[in-house]
Amino acid sequence: HKGIGELIQAVAAKRTLGATLLIVGASDQDRKLLPAAPFLHVRPPCPFADIPKYMCAADVVAICPRDSRAAQAQLPAKLLDAMAMARPIVATRVSDVPQVLGDAGLVVTPGDRDELASAIEYLLTEPAAARRLGEKARQRCIDSYSYDSIAPRLVKVVEGVLERA
């Protein structure tokens, strides 16, 4: 449900860019299902503390789940990780991803390999635009999803519940 097949196809379609696709967190079983390709590198699951080094290395973070029941029920943590680290993001229009990302990244149709490929190509070939989107994502994360932003709103919610109890 994570759209890895479409992502692999999208990067393969743009091989002239010389892009490398790194997939982190694949189980042994997942790795057996992935095609062998010179541009594809797969890493096993890693400790949470190692995630920043992979995020920092990414020119683009792709979050491309299919529009499935499983994907509709979750918000990928890596979306907020990438936003916090000012990475340019391309994501599919699934669950609350478009609302969380807002205009701080590129949002594409789930399952549309060509649209995904074009968005990745844009971010790779327009580094100034990619940097601006990454900076915008970080600011959106700070303004809307950081502890300092969430805490006062959460306190109001809890106080409201306590008043009704």
Side-chain angles (χ1 to χ4, degrees):
H1 73 274
K2 295 193 181 220
I4 299 300
E6 289 88 352
L7 179 58
I8 292 169
Q9 292 172 357
V11 173
K14 299 297 180 178
R15 284 304 302 139
T16 57
L17 296 173
T20 297
L21 175 58
L22 175 62
I23 297 173
V24 179
S27 68
D28 289 339
Q29 183 176 349
D30 291 337
R31 284 185 279 187
K32 291 176 187 174
L33 299 173
L34 295 173
F39 64 88
L40 178 60
H41 302 277
V42 183
R43 299 284 182 268
C46 68
F48 186 74
D50 289 350
I51 291 172
K53 73 179 178 183
Y54 290 111
M55 284 287 178
C56 284
D59 292 319
V60 175
V61 174
I63 303 166
C64 48
R66 295 182 183 125
D67 191 6
S68 67
R69 193 169 180 185
Q72 287 293 342
Q74 58 184 266
L75 181 69
K78 67 182 168 184
L79 175 63
L80 293 170
D81 294 339
M83 290 174 73
M85 295 187 70
R87 306 317 305 147
I89 301 164
V90 58
T92 52
R93 196 174 290 106
V94 174
S95 182
D96 292 334
V97 170
Q99 292 82 3
V100 171
L101 188 55
D103 63 352
L106 303 180
V107 179
V108 300
T109 306
D112 189 330
R113 183 206 65 146
D114 295 331
E115 190 178 3
L116 179 60
S118 294
I120 292 169
E121 178 179 38
Y122 173 74
L123 292 173
L124 290 175
T125 60
E126 298 293 336
R131 187 176 51 258
R132 280 191 302 275
L133 282 173
E135 290 167 357
K136 193 172 195 177
R138 176 162 172 73
Q139 193 60 53
R140 184 172 175 84
C141 188
I142 291 168
D143 293 344
S144 300
Y145 308 112
S146 67
Y147 178 80
D148 290 341
S149 170
I150 298 272
R153 292 184 277 167
L154 185 57
V155 166
K156 287 181 183 177
V157 170
V158 170
E159 287 173 346
V161 169
L162 292 173
E163 286 174 8
R164 284 180 281 222

